[in-house]
Amino acid sequence: MKRIFIVAVFVVPLLLSACATSPTPASEAKAVPTERVLAFQTPPTGESGTLIVSRDTGFFGGGISITIAVNGTKAAILKTGESVTLYLPAGEFIVSASYWTGDLKEREVTLRPGQTKRYRVSFDGANSMDLSPTNF
């Protein structure tokens, strides 16, 4: 009984935490290849900002591609450890991350002129995807 308790309390949480993804700093991430960058690659005329979206590394979700969209326009397809830089006019946007199962996360993003914002796509130990602001 004591062994079962030790496994339940120490080993299982360790294994589950090892399966969650880890942040990939944009400076260390691989650039998404050009054939998977679909939009927002040229700075628009007028006031604009920059949105950088990076995908974590790790086991969970590692075999699937994540589609990033801005206001419903597909912008890029990310694999683990990759990052894309998107150039958008200043203003408010709905940025989404999705994959083939239909899982979808959306966030409202407001970009001021000259501003850069960073977001990351991550998976937790329950294989739940998130799209969240980050400093990485």
Side-chain angles (χ1 to χ4, degrees):
M1 186 67 165
K2 188 174 182 180
R3 274 194 174 139
I4 293 172
F5 175 76
I6 290 172
V7 169
V9 171
F10 296 106
V11 177
V12 172
L14 179 63
L15 290 175
L16 288 176
S17 68
C19 294
T21 57
S22 299
T24 301
S27 61
E28 296 176 16
K30 297 174 284 188
V32 174
T34 55
E35 64 269 12
R36 288 191 277 118
V37 180
L38 311 172
F40 308 111
Q41 286 304 285
T42 305
T45 56
E47 296 180 328
S48 64
T50 305
L51 177 66
I52 300 171
V53 181
S54 299
R55 173 128 181 242
D56 284 3
T57 56
F59 177 75
F60 270 107
I64 59 174
S65 297
I66 302 296
T67 300
I68 302 299
V70 177
N71 287 350
T73 299
K74 290 182 181 179
I77 300 170
L78 277 70
K79 295 188 179 198
T80 58
E82 292 182 337
S83 183
V84 65
T85 300
L86 306 174
Y87 302 98
L88 303 168
E92 293 183 2
F93 304 92
I94 298 295
V95 177
S96 65
S98 63
Y99 62 99
W100 65 272
T101 64
D103 196 4
L104 170 72
K105 296 294 179 189
E106 294 180 311
R107 299 290 180 252
E108 184 176 16
V109 176
T110 301
L111 283 175
R112 293 187 306 271
Q115 184 179 31
T116 297
K117 286 194 174 182
R118 300 174 190 272
Y119 278 73
R120 66 183 269 239
V121 177
S122 60
F123 284 83
D124 64 18
N127 207 23
S128 177
M129 180 180 65
D130 195 15
L131 174 65
S132 56
T134 185
N135 286 319
F136 287 100

